[in-house]
Amino acid sequence: PGPLQYRFWRYSASTGWVIVQDYANVSTLAWTPSLAGQYDIAVWVRTAGSLNAYDAILDIGFFTITAPVTVSSLTPSPAPPRSVGTRITWTATASGNPTPLQYRFWRYNAASGWTMVQDYSTINTFGWTPSLSGQYDIAVWVKAAGSANPLDATLATGFFNITP
């Protein structure tokens, strides 16, 4: 009988179990994870004024927080502008979880718009030997292993020229 009090605990491999919200009449916990990893949340409940450490416990069990996928660079070698017939290789640098990350490459030109030039795979490079001069753009889509999203992150080079 009477009002209830709640104490929330959080577990991580780096800290073990720590109290993240001590006994109070508040029955909810708001938490924004700052690091990827495996966690657990537990709540202890007791009647207000009880001398017991707890009257009931609920533990939700382990769950995983993944790092968001980010693409930090899309680097050409050699760097444009280049002339027709010069092979250029773009390398995407990305991070996130769960791995392995998957990469899909796109090429843009004014005549055909965006065209997928390399479908999703774990290969983070795309090589291309232009056969026509013009203005182009290269983009990479990246997604985490098992992601149902069409992409989790993207980055484009911006327009560059291929000369005759």
Side-chain angles (χ1 to χ4, degrees):
L4 298 176
Q5 294 181 321
Y6 305 85
R7 174 186 277 172
F8 288 90
W9 296 79
R10 181 180 64 233
Y11 174 85
S12 76
S14 61
T15 62
W17 284 102
V18 294
I19 297 172
V20 291
Q21 183 174 300
D22 207 355
Y23 275 115
N25 295 335
V26 179
S27 64
T28 59
L29 172 69
W31 171 55
T32 303
S34 60
L35 296 173
Q38 193 170 41
Y39 295 92
D40 192 356
I41 301 287
V43 62
W44 290 6
V45 183
R46 70 179 183 190
T47 303
S50 172
L51 298 178
N52 297 331
Y54 55 84
D55 295 327
I57 293 177
L58 179 63
D59 178 343
I60 65 168
F62 286 106
F63 59 94
T64 301
I65 299 294
T66 59
V69 173
T70 59
V71 184
S72 56
S73 66
L74 183 55
T75 307
S77 179
R82 291 290 163 206
S83 56
V84 168
T86 303
R87 184 168 180 79
I88 305 171
T89 301
W90 281 267
T91 302
T93 303
S95 61
N97 281 304
T99 58
L101 298 178
Q102 298 178 36
Y103 303 83
R104 174 184 276 175
F105 288 88
W106 297 82
R107 183 179 59 232
Y108 175 87
N109 73 25
S112 60
W114 285 102
T115 303
M116 183 180 48
V117 291
Q118 184 172 301
D119 204 358
Y120 275 117
S121 75
T122 57
I123 299 169
N124 69 328
T125 59
F126 162 66
W128 172 56
T129 304
S131 59
L132 296 173
S133 62
Q135 196 171 49
Y136 293 89
D137 193 355
I138 301 292
V140 62
W141 289 7
V142 183
K143 66 180 185 174
S147 174
N149 299 325
L151 68 134
D152 293 330
T154 187
L155 185 64
T157 61
F159 289 112
F160 60 89
N161 290 314
I162 298 297
T163 59

